[in-house]
Amino acid sequence: MNEAFAYSHDSERGPFWLTLGLDQRWHPIWDGEDLGAFASPQDAVMALADGATKTPTCGAAGALGISGLLQRWRAYPSPADAKP
């Protein structure tokens, strides 16, 4: 799978986003809350699903059905495609 510009995964509490930061690390985001920084998108989604990130105010992401498999996240190849 080619790396995308961003990824999203829907949950009952709204979408979780995964974006590449200026620090060249992948940041899981929920409702504007940065939940950490990871070397790869797969590392970020696994950490999010396993509860190994900062806990968002909506509760543990793993309990919301967030997949730890990047293939189950929606990929956005460019910033223009990532508009909600």
Side-chain angles (χ1 to χ4, degrees):
M1 172 184 255
N2 292 333
E3 275 189 7
F5 166 78
Y7 299 87
S8 71
H9 194 293
D10 292 330
S11 80
E12 62 188 50
R13 299 288 178 110
F16 281 78
W17 287 87
L18 183 62
T19 61
L20 185 61
L22 295 175
D23 59 359
Q24 296 302 302
R25 296 180 60 82
W26 289 90
H27 294 259
I29 308 286
W30 180 80
D31 198 30
E33 296 177 40
D34 189 337
L35 306 177
F38 299 87
S40 74
Q42 182 60 56
D43 289 347
V45 298
M46 285 183 63
L48 191 60
D50 291 343
T53 64
K54 296 175 187 170
T55 302
T57 55
C58 68
L64 297 173
I66 297 299
S67 177
L69 298 173
L70 187 60
Q71 296 86 342
R72 294 194 178 163
W73 286 61
R74 184 175 301 119
Y76 299 91
S78 74
D81 296 321
K83 292 180 182 174

